[in-house]
Amino acid sequence: MRSMVKAAKALSDETRLRMLNLLLKRECCVCEVMQVLNISQTRASRNLNVLHEAGLLSVRREGLWAYFSIDK
């Protein structure tokens, strides 16, 4: 039940919904999300982490970069 509540809370924000829409198309790093959505690095990272912790995204790390995609 907690995971459903966490997911519902994660989906209740317009910015996070826009991120999911972008990530449905392709995997992105934080800098790409920032550029496309015209938001700060802090805001992008914080919201991507909320989606990841809710179990909606997976993260692939490559050096210093983190690439986010929809967790199937």
Side-chain angles (χ1 to χ4, degrees), residues 11-57:
L11 295 173
S12 68
D13 182 78
E14 181 183 349
T15 300
R16 291 191 285 264
L17 290 174
R18 291 173 61 209
M19 288 177 170
L20 285 174
N21 189 42
L22 173 63
L23 294 169
L24 281 171
K25 296 175 182 149
R26 66 183 182 92
E27 176 183 70
C28 294
C29 66
V30 175
C31 61
E32 293 171 318
V33 172
M34 289 171 43
Q35 191 174 31
V36 171
L37 299 182
N38 195 29
I39 58 176
S40 69
Q41 184 272 328
T42 304
R43 187 172 175 195
S45 293
R46 183 176 57 243
N47 284 297
L48 286 165
N49 282 322
V50 168
L51 292 168
H52 178 258
E53 288 175 9
L56 301 170
L57 298 182

